Amino acid sequence: MARNQQVWIKAELLESRPEEILNVELPRLDVQEQNLLQKKRQLQFKRGDIWRALNQRSDRVEEAKKNLQRNTIPSRTAELEATLAGAEAELKAYRKKSEPILRELKEQIKQVSGAIDEVYVQKDLLRDELKRYVRLA
């Protein structure tokens, strides 16, 4: 190769696409991914709060049943039965109220997870596209 030989490249081969991928598209997808992950965590925490509340109410029912079974004082029986009935009613009402919310949260989590998966696919496609470029110094 001669010392002063120049390299010629067709103009249509000179693209700014790699820079666009690195500086615009991947950062945008990173932000989108973080937002979706945050939303998923919030939905999961909300679902967890509902389950905790259901479990607390269920525990109250079980505790009221145990207290009623251990009762040896006839005069307290009515009070303990009323406590049990109240705890069961509260559990039933909360369960009825929370079941549609839990179903909706499950669906939202599923949708957000799908969107996160789509972001991962897009990022993988962009990284694969970047591999087809060669950087000339």
Side-chain angles (χ1 to χ4, degrees):
M1 208 158 146
R3 183 173 258 212
N4 289 331
Q5 189 173 6
Q6 295 181 354
V7 176
W8 291 84
I9 299 174
K10 284 186 170 184
E12 59 262 12
L13 293 178
L14 296 174
E15 295 185 40
S16 63
R17 181 75 178 137
E19 295 298 321
E20 180 184 338
I21 290 171
L22 290 171
N23 296 324
V24 177
E25 292 186 31
L26 284 175
R28 178 185 56 79
L29 288 172
D30 287 339
V31 168
Q32 186 179 356
E33 175 188 356
Q34 292 306 312
N35 290 339
L36 289 168
L37 289 171
Q38 179 65 28
K39 183 174 181 175
K40 183 177 178 181
R41 277 191 296 276
Q42 289 171 345
L43 293 170
Q44 289 171 328
F45 283 136
K46 189 173 183 179
R47 181 180 62 183
D49 289 345
I50 292 171
W51 276 111
R52 257 186 305 289
L54 274 170
N55 288 336
Q56 287 174 345
R57 286 164 174 79
S58 181
D59 290 346
R60 283 190 214 133
V61 169
E62 292 306 313
E63 185 65 30
K65 285 180 182 178
K66 288 178 187 175
N67 289 339
L68 187 58
Q69 289 172 351
R70 289 188 297 234
N71 180 40
T72 56
I73 306 170
S75 62
R76 283 204 67 216
T77 301
E79 176 189 339
L80 292 172
E81 286 174 343
T83 302
L84 174 59
E88 287 175 335
E90 184 182 358
L91 174 61
K92 183 179 178 182
Y94 193 79
R95 187 174 282 143
K96 184 177 181 177
K97 174 184 158 190
S98 63
E99 282 177 355
I101 296 169
L102 287 171
R103 279 193 300 275
E104 179 64 28
L105 286 172
K106 182 179 178 180
E107 183 59 34
Q108 288 178 2
I109 290 169
K110 183 179 172 183
Q111 290 174 358
V112 171
S113 294
I116 291 169
D117 291 343
E118 181 58 35
V119 168
Y120 291 150
V121 167
Q122 290 177 17
K123 287 172 78 171
D124 288 344
L125 290 172
L126 288 173
R127 287 187 185 112
D128 287 344
E129 184 178 343
L130 272 178
K131 291 175 186 175
R132 292 185 296 224
Y133 291 93
V134 176
R135 174 175 275 158
L136 298 176

